[in-house]
Amino acid sequence: MADHTSPDYELSETLKVSRPGQLRALFEETRSKIVELLLERAATISELAKTLGIPKGTIGHHVGVLEEASLIRVVRTRKVRAIEAKYYGRVARTYLIASMRDRDFQVSPDHFLSTAAVEYGAAAARAPDPEHSRMMSTLRHARVPDDRAEEWLLRLGELAQDFVSEKRGGETTYALLVAFYPTDRPHLPDSEVTG
């Protein structure tokens, strides 16, 4: 598999996803896989169907939903034996989810976490040698001032952006899950003793 810079077509850096139709389109499992694949390069319905192991008609339906929601578009066409092949690409490198509180659309708050947990568990089960498996997870809690929390939020966003902007290559697709959120965990009061 040849290395290539991702993706091979022009697209915006970010798109604010806020309409219920866009959210419904993006948070369906097959469509989510399609938009992730299109971050690598533009692809035809046939290529997507073969890669995902799903019939072309089903992929065509999902591509139509994504196109109608303005999340993907035809980025080029090519004649193949008198038939015009359409290559689809994303509208933006990153989709910013504006709000999932719309009454017309509800997604489980743990959608990303449950998907990642299943993938992580499967990867751990497949790993021949856990010591050298290129996997890690951790959960940490820290009490920090609001202005520092904002800095951490921005840094983690930049890390996620760097990850999806990485040059494509190799045979393994890796996942990066980033979550940053306030908790209601109790903490000790600040010490009255200064050191």
Side-chain angles (χ1 to χ4, degrees):
M1 177 179 196
D3 287 349
H4 57 276
T5 302
S6 149
D8 61 347
Y9 56 90
E10 294 293 319
L11 74 167
S12 300
E13 269 310 304
T14 59
L15 172 70
K16 186 176 179 182
V17 176
S18 58
R19 296 190 331 256
Q22 287 179 311
L23 294 167
R24 276 192 291 276
L26 198 55
F27 280 93
E28 191 281 331
E29 184 178 359
T30 300
R31 293 190 287 264
S32 179
K33 290 177 182 177
I34 289 169
V35 296
E36 285 299 318
L37 286 171
L38 295 179
L39 192 55
E40 292 184 22
R41 66 171 178 84
T44 64
I45 287 173
S46 294
E47 289 175 319
L48 292 167
K50 184 177 179 182
T51 300
L52 295 174
I54 296 174
K56 285 195 302 189
T58 303
I59 292 297
H61 164 74
H62 288 301
V63 164
V65 171
L66 289 165
E67 191 174 23
E68 177 70 26
S70 300
L71 296 169
I72 68 171
R73 62 186 173 83
V74 175
V75 295
R76 67 178 166 267
T77 59
R78 191 177 94 199
K79 284 275 190 191
V80 179
R81 290 186 222 107
I83 297 174
E84 186 176 72
K86 294 180 181 179
Y87 287 79
Y88 293 89
R90 292 167 62 123
V91 173
R93 183 180 305 279
T94 303
Y95 296 132
L96 299 175
I97 309 303
S99 173
M100 292 193 290
R101 296 183 183 182
D102 191 292
R103 63 182 165 81
D104 296 329
F105 175 77
Q106 295 294 320
V107 70
S108 169
D110 65 353
H111 172 79
F112 296 115
L113 298 175
S114 58
T115 299
V118 169
E119 289 180 347
Y120 192 88
R126 287 189 311 265
D129 179 7
E131 291 288 318
H132 303 94
S133 66
R134 294 188 186 96
M135 292 177 61
M136 62 109 16
S137 64
T138 185
L139 176 62
R140 307 294 176 152
H141 295 87
R143 187 166 54 106
V144 297
D146 288 344
D147 60 333
R148 291 289 292 148
E150 186 67 27
E151 288 177 37
W152 276 103
L153 188 63
L154 292 172
R155 287 173 62 190
L156 291 171
E158 289 170 359
L159 177 65
Q161 187 63 39
D162 286 350
F163 181 72
V164 298
S165 298
E166 186 71 22
K167 181 178 178 181
R168 301 298 185 208
E171 294 299 320
T172 305
T173 300
Y174 289 90
L176 173 69
L177 173 67
V178 177
F180 185 80
Y181 54 94
T183 72
D184 59 1
R185 284 177 166 257
H187 58 269
L188 294 170
D190 292 336
S191 175
E192 294 181 15
V193 178
T194 57

